[in-house]
Structure formats: C-alpha cells, structure tokens
Amino acid sequence: MEIPPYNGFGSIEDSLQSCLKLVPEPAKKDYIKMMEHDHTVLRYEAMLDSIRAEDAHRRFVISFHLADDTITIHEPPVRNSGIIGGKFLARSRIAKPGGTSERHDYYGPDDLQMGSTVEVFGHRFVITGADLFVLKFMEENPQLFSPEAIARLRSCLGPDGAAAYEQSKNPIQVKRREGDLSQLVAEMKRRMKSVRITGANEIRKLFLKYDRERTGFLNRESVTAICRQLNLPLDADLIDALMTHLSSGQDRVRLEDFEKFLDSASC
C-alpha cells in the first residue's frame, strides 16, 4: 500500500497510524527517557535565515525538551519593532528535511549546535548562542553530543562562561528537617508512578539501564543517578536512608527488592 504524503495536520506518527488502521493507535512513548529527562530543557538563541530585510534583527529562543525530543520556538517581543513576537512554534517534534511519510528522522540534541541550521516548516533558523545550562548538560552527558559540539559551545561562551560553569559544579548543601527521609521515599515512588514506571517490564528496563555489568545489583552510584534523573535531593544522609530502605541495610540493591519497592508505588 502506498502511503500518502504528510498533509501537515497532527504529528507524522498520528497521520501514519490513520492510514494503517481504522482505529489509530497512539504512538508508543519511551517512559524511561521521559523519567530521566523530565523538565530538562536546552535553550538556544537563533536568528532567522531570511532574505527579507525586516527579519535581519529578529531573534528567537529555541527550546529543546529532552523528555520527548520536542521543540518550541519563541520570539521575545521588541518594542517599536513592528513585530508582535510571542509563540512561533508550539511544542512538537520536528522532522528533518528529506524524509518521507514512512521514513523520517527527527531533530535530536546533537543537531542543535552553534552555527547549525534547523528547518521548521520552510523557515530556517541558525543557532547563534546557548545558555550556561546547555554547556553543563553537554559536559555531564557526553554520549549525547559530539566532542566538537561541546568544544564549540565552550569556546563561544568564553572564559567567563566557562568559569561560571566550573563554579556551578559545587553542590549546595541544604539543611534537612525531621521527616525528610521518609518524604524522599514517598516522593520517589510518586514520581516513578507519574511516568508509569510501575509495570514489571518497565521496572526491569530501568534496573538494567543502570546495571550495565549485569550483576543483578544496583550500587550507591546507580541509585544516586536515578535520584538525579528524578530531580530528587542528593544529600548524603538522604541517599543513605534510601539505600537502607531499598537494600535492608546492605550497600547494594537486588532486582527483586527494587521491583518490590516500585510495585508498592501503586498502593
């Protein structure tokens, strides 16, 4: 069966499903990825690649949402410019040029680099800057970016930006109140449930993602990494309490204990 070209209404996946089935099924979501990068947004400054003179001084903010690889574009209003500004693109996944209805690639985090071009429905945006958080995220997640992209952004931010980034690495210790330890356990369960990490298959996928050596255990560093992805506090006393709760006083967590802990999130 020949798939008709994408007509621009809805997402590409939704349009494709309406061609394949009488009752379209929603596209599958990567809940592990959504949990890891929930609320993580990379923001870039961009200019419009246009031959029109009135577009030469227009500036845009491109926000890349890592939870689902969606993009939003906003144009900050400028007084007396003759352009209203505001929302240019609602949150959506953007396919790269040259794809078809059946085969297409979407823009990913490594595609948004200094000087790169993002084409959105016939409009071409050139990346001209990024905030400090983008550099910090690149340094902490080098597997998602090319070394050239990280070096180029560090160079563009200059020595002041690099110095601010190094200073931001120092964690701030917050004084905890009585009851915070039990609240951390409850909050972890709640956030797991909110991203649907409650079924046996999803829990096992999450466990194996951090058990790279396939030992059947999660160590303290892995549990800390999960807390970081959930935006939970990382103070040593809280991590100690969580490890005690998960592992019955041992320094590593078994898959069975991990499943039992997260299954109780549905209670």
Side-chain angles (χ1 to χ4, degrees), residues 10-257:
S11 66
I12 296 179
E13 292 88 350
D14 291 339
S15 297
L16 180 60
Q17 285 295 323
S18 65
C19 297
L20 299 177
K21 297 184 178 181
L22 289 176
V23 181
E25 297 180 355
K28 293 183 179 181
K29 297 181 180 180
D30 187 345
Y31 292 108
I32 299 295
K33 182 177 180 179
M34 293 174 64
M35 182 206 70
E36 288 183 334
H37 300 300
D38 188 27
H39 305 304
T40 303
V41 182
L42 306 181
R43 293 182 175 86
Y44 302 84
E45 182 187 55
M47 60 180 293
L48 195 59
D49 184 7
S50 171
I51 61 175
R52 299 171 55 185
E54 57 267 31
D55 292 335
H57 300 289
R58 297 176 68 181
R59 293 296 180 268
F60 298 82
V61 176
I62 298 179
S63 300
F64 188 88
H65 303 262
L66 283 151
D68 53 4
D69 291 346
T70 54
I71 292 176
T72 57
I73 301 179
H74 175 80
E75 182 177 11
V78 178
R79 295 183 61 182
N80 302 322
S81 66
I83 300 174
I84 297 177
K87 183 188 295 184
F88 187 92
L89 175 71
R91 184 171 177 175
S92 56
R93 296 182 74 191
I94 303 300
K96 297 180 183 179
T100 64
S101 298
E102 298 181 68
R103 300 187 62 181
H104 46 266
D105 292 327
Y106 290 98
Y107 283 104
D110 197 38
D111 294 314
L112 278 66
Q113 303 181 15
M114 296 297 297
S116 64
T117 300
V118 179
E119 186 169 335
V120 181
F121 302 122
H123 299 276
R124 293 168 56 86
F125 295 89
V126 180
I127 305 295
T128 59
D131 61 20
L132 186 61
F133 176 76
V134 177
L135 174 60
K136 182 178 180 180
F137 185 84
M138 283 182 164
E139 296 276 6
E140 293 177 351
N141 301 271
Q143 73 279 5
L144 299 177
F145 305 91
S146 64
E148 295 77 11
I150 299 175
R152 189 180 300 119
L153 180 57
R154 178 177 282 273
S155 176
C156 290
L157 288 176
D160 294 337
Y165 164 66
E166 294 297 336
Q167 185 177 2
S168 69
K169 289 182 178 180
N170 298 324
I172 300 175
Q173 296 294 329
V174 179
K175 185 177 181 180
R176 300 294 169 190
R177 296 174 298 178
E178 184 178 356
D180 280 353
L181 303 181
S182 59
Q183 289 180 11
L184 173 68
V185 175
E187 182 66 12
M188 185 175 187
K189 293 180 180 181
R190 188 190 69 80
R191 296 196 185 187
M192 289 287 190
K193 183 179 179 181
S194 68
V195 293
R196 302 184 184 181
I197 308 297
T198 53
N201 291 335
E202 295 297 329
I203 293 175
R204 185 175 295 271
K205 284 171 58 178
L206 177 64
F207 187 94
L208 294 178
K209 178 179 177 62
Y210 289 94
D211 181 22
R212 296 185 177 88
E213 303 296 329
R214 299 298 186 263
T215 62
F217 296 92
L218 292 181
N219 56 22
R220 180 188 176 90
E221 289 72 20
S222 298
V223 174
T224 302
I226 293 176
C227 291
R228 182 181 293 109
Q229 298 298 343
L230 290 171
N231 295 319
L232 293 171
L234 298 176
D235 284 17
D237 58 335
L238 297 180
I239 299 298
D240 289 341
L242 186 59
M243 287 295 297
T244 301
H245 186 91
L246 288 171
S247 61
S248 302
Q250 300 180 8
D251 199 31
R252 57 182 187 174
V253 181
R254 299 184 307 163
L255 174 59
E256 294 78 6
D257 294 332

Side-chain angles (χ1 to χ4, degrees), residues 185 189 193 198 203 245 258-267:
V185 175
K189 293 180 180 181
K193 183 179 179 181
T198 53
I203 293 175
H245 186 91
F258 192 70
E259 290 176 333
K260 182 179 179 181
F261 170 75
L262 295 183
D263 278 337
S264 64
S266 59
C267 298

